[in-house]
Amino acid sequence: MSFSATLRDVTLKYRDSDALADVNLELEAGKIYGLLGRNGAGKTSLLSLLAAFRKPTSGEILVGGEPVWENVGIVSRVALIREGGDFDDSDSVKAAIETGQIRPGFDTAYALKLAERFELPLKKKVRELSRGKRSVLAAVCGLAARAELTMFDEVHLGMDAPTRDAFYKELLAEYMDRPHTVILSTHLIDEVANYLEEVIIVDRGRILRHEEVEVFQGMGATLTGAAAAVDEVAAGLEILAEQQLGGTKSITVAAFDPGTRERAAAAGLEIGPVGLQDLFIHLTEPSRNGA
Amino acid sequence: MNAVLAQRKYRLGAQLATDTAKTFGLWAVAAYALLQAVQGVLRITVGFEGDFSHYLFGILPLLLLAISWVTLLKAYPSAIGAGLTRREFGSAYALFSAVLIAAGFAFSQLIVIVAELTNSGAYDGFYGAAPIDALTRTAVHVTCGAAAGAIIVRFDRDLVKGTLAGVLITALLLRQIPLQIAASAAPGGDGDLVFFAFPADGVPFAQLDAVLTVVFVLIAWLALARAPMPHKKA
């Protein structure tokens, strides 16, 4: 079983400023979502509401079809793993792992297996761990929580590249073994792009886009070639970005339909895909959104 | 709700109590035992008549307040992060507080019993020697620590949190003053002149502390009911 999640007209205020404003979002159960947004966009606030870490100022949040706030049956099966985890620093690593046993689904044997695989020193105090190892401990506890909705908020920070790769693979293996809903909040977009099924982009407290990854990938293209030919093909298209070096021009365009693709090919232009990260950068550019 | 979910708040409360007993509890008992042993030897060898455990008797409530405060601040993020509701955490903390109050009561009564056996008068001049006083004195300090901790987590990002927690503790420490002033202005009182001493004669501490305990429990419960998960610095 895995949880769906719904936010209806959700607003979260910190004093006078809106961390989230009138957010409406539907997440189907059993998918891996990417949550993208610039710093301060509202990603952590959104995840905090889904995990009942805080109460919204207004609006309704349903997880698994039920209100999540103070709902024992739901929050016990929702895991939000924040950067560095929420541990008692004076605990040993082993004790910190065992704290997870308060969740009904927590798999201690799996957690200890992962701890061994990621070379976590069980006897060390949490406060003695390096930033990377602390992140690994948080990730291990998140995976072993066996929650129906698991959210990782920048949990990879401090991990080296091989460890991050191993974490993503373990996450995918666990997901294949036990389908559940996963939300990955990250700035390392291209690194996780292949694992995602849908992407949500948050910008200044609002949901900017929420689409399947394929939709994002089909949102545009990069055209490269002689400047005049590029300008001719791109005329009338929404240009996300452009670069020119001498007589060669490269533009990123949105809404790249088959007709335009044929014209570009006929003009001898090189047609490249738009990376998720590039698209994200363009979509959240302050000048595009009236900032 | 299955049995594991239903029982987990009690398991957390018991775990908090066990962890505290293994640390602060053992240290306090060991320190007291060592002190009594040393004083016993001195009594026999050089006729020493004093008793330094009166220091412990005096600061014991403040130690309990600090333990209660720190335990709440440490346990709350771990518990909410591990998928507990605030209501469950409140229940777990109530269990822990009850154990802490019982332990504090027992420890203060131990000091009194030993002082009477050795005729040292370790509790002379302190409030809290009588069993009912020991119970209410311990309870009001433990619940004040919990209320102050709950205020800190409730107003996580608000600078007012420190002030509010300070107000609670100040109110506890100065709790006798309004009653003394009221008593002095009453017919038969001392008029304009009030001498502040602790404990003050004529102040019904047991009743006052019982009322304050209820107030602190309510403050802690209300503060925790909407407390957010503490903010993490990026």
Side-chain angles (χ1 to χ4, degrees):
Chain A
M1 185 187 169
S2 58
F3 282 158
S4 61
T6 305
L7 282 84
R8 287 187 195 138
D9 303 320
V10 169
T11 294
L12 177 65
K13 286 179 186 289
Y14 294 129
R15 296 206 188 95
D16 294 334
S17 62
D18 286 354
L20 294 171
D22 294 323
V23 169
N24 285 285
L25 186 64
E26 287 280 349
L27 303 181
E28 286 175 39
K31 287 187 173 180
I32 301 182
Y33 294 88
L35 181 63
L36 313 181
R38 300 171 71 106
N39 291 331
K43 304 185 298 295
T44 298
S45 295
L46 194 149
L47 296 179
S48 296
L49 293 177
L50 284 172
F53 277 15
R54 54 179 63 241
K55 198 171 167 68
T57 309
S58 63
E60 188 179 27
I61 298 160
L62 306 176
V63 172
E66 296 181 35
V68 68
W69 183 257
E70 291 295 273
N71 188 330
V72 181
I74 299 295
V75 293
S76 61
R77 294 189 289 159
V78 172
L80 167 54
I81 312 302
R82 306 196 291 181
E83 184 209 339
D86 291 293
F87 305 113
D88 180 343
D89 283 6
S90 60
D91 273 347
S92 67
V93 170
K94 188 165 185 282
I97 288 173
E98 286 167 352
T99 303
Q101 291 170 346
I102 208 152
R103 291 181 182 281
F106 192 82
D107 188 338
T108 309
Y110 176 53
L112 292 173
K113 193 182 99 184
L114 289 177
E116 189 181 349
R117 183 179 155 196
F118 286 102
E119 297 176 345
L120 279 174
L122 293 178
K123 289 181 181 170
K124 258 194 174 181
K125 299 277 186 196
V126 172
R127 64 168 168 261
E128 293 167 354
L129 295 178
S130 67
R131 189 183 187 198
K133 285 293 182 194
R134 197 180 164 114
S135 295
V136 168
L137 174 61
V140 163
C141 290
L143 290 167
R146 305 278 200 202
E148 313 305 336
L149 168 59
T150 307
M151 299 173 278
F152 293 98
D153 187 11
E154 301 283 0
V155 78
H156 55 267
L157 290 179
M159 289 184 197
D160 56 31
T163 307
R164 289 202 301 275
D165 185 58
F167 164 62
Y168 298 139
K169 284 178 175 152
E170 189 60 45
L171 173 69
L172 192 62
E174 215 270 315
Y175 174 76
M176 299 302 283
D177 185 44
R178 186 186 64 86
H180 58 291
T181 310
V182 177
I183 303 177
L184 281 173
S185 170
T186 181
H187 290 299
L188 302 178
I189 299 168
D190 283 342
E191 224 175 73
V192 299
N194 291 337
Y195 299 98
L196 306 178
E197 293 173 77
E198 292 188 18
V199 170
I200 305 138
I201 299 179
V202 185
D203 193 41
R204 274 168 275 164
R206 295 175 189 276
I207 305 296
L208 186 66
R209 300 268 176 130
H210 172 202
E211 309 281 1
E212 291 179 358
V213 168
E214 291 77 16
V215 174
F216 275 107
Q217 288 169 339
M219 267 183 185
T222 304
L223 306 177
T224 308
V230 168
D231 286 339
E232 190 183 332
V233 172
L237 296 178
E238 185 186 357
I239 295 173
L240 301 179
E242 62 179 85
Q243 284 181 309
Q244 188 161 355
L245 188 63
T248 303
K249 193 169 186 178
S250 174
I251 61 168
T252 305
V253 294
F256 196 63
D257 58 64
T260 312
R261 180 177 289 276
E262 277 178 24
R263 284 195 293 124
L269 300 183
E270 188 182 318
I271 305 170
V274 180
L276 193 55
Q277 181 156 303
D278 289 336
L279 198 60
F280 164 75
I281 292 168
H282 296 310
L283 289 172
T284 57
E285 228 174 341
S287 58
R288 277 185 56 81
N289 298 296
Chain B
M1 200 188 329
N2 63 35
V4 177
L5 274 182
Q7 297 298 319
R8 66 180 186 160
K9 53 181 177 277
Y10 304 119
R11 277 195 291 129
L12 176 63
Q15 188 193 327
L16 292 175
T18 307
D19 289 347
T20 304
K22 282 190 207 165
T23 51
F24 293 110
L26 275 182
W27 300 337
V29 170
Y32 183 66
L34 180 65
L35 176 67
Q36 288 303 329
V38 170
Q39 289 182 162
V41 170
L42 290 176
R43 272 188 203 107
I44 294 165
T45 55
V46 296
F48 176 74
E49 290 181 348
D51 190 345
F52 287 107
S53 58
H54 67 272
Y55 289 114
L56 186 56
F57 193 83
I59 64 164
L60 181 62
L62 296 178
L63 286 176
L64 293 169
L65 187 154
I67 290 168
S68 178
W69 184 346
V70 170
T71 304
L72 190 141
L73 289 182
K74 282 175 68 173
Y76 180 78
S78 300
I80 301 300
L84 255 79
T85 63
R86 284 140 192 87
R87 207 175 304 119
E88 285 180 298
F89 179 75
S91 302
Y93 207 81
L95 175 62
F96 163 72
S97 297
V99 174
L100 191 58
I101 289 167
F105 167 78
F107 195 55
S108 62
Q109 289 301 286
L110 175 69
I111 295 173
V112 170
I113 291 167
V114 172
E116 284 177 354
L117 287 175
T118 57
N119 203 24
S120 71
Y123 56 85
D124 285 352
F126 288 99
Y127 152 66
I132 185 67
D133 293 344
L135 185 62
T136 54
R137 182 178 82 145
T138 306
V140 78
H141 283 82
V142 168
T143 53
C144 182
I151 288 285
I152 295 287
V153 294
R154 171 66 183 85
F155 297 98
D156 176 38
R157 294 173 123 188
D158 206 324
L159 291 177
V160 76
K161 64 185 179 185
T163 307
L164 289 175
V167 165
L168 289 185
I169 294 169
T170 305
L172 171 67
L173 296 179
L174 304 180
R175 62 195 185 281
Q176 67 173 17
I177 290 179
L179 293 182
Q180 275 191 274
I181 293 173
S184 70
D190 296 330
D192 294 335
L193 194 60
V194 184
F195 291 99
F196 293 114
F198 187 87
D201 289 338
V203 174
F205 275 103
Q207 293 91 325
L208 176 62
D209 286 355
V211 171
L212 281 177
T213 297
V214 173
V215 172
F216 288 140
V217 168
L218 282 175
I219 289 172
W221 193 262
L222 290 172
L224 282 178
R226 275 193 70 119
M229 183 74 162
H231 179 68
K232 281 192 91 145
K233 284 180 186 161

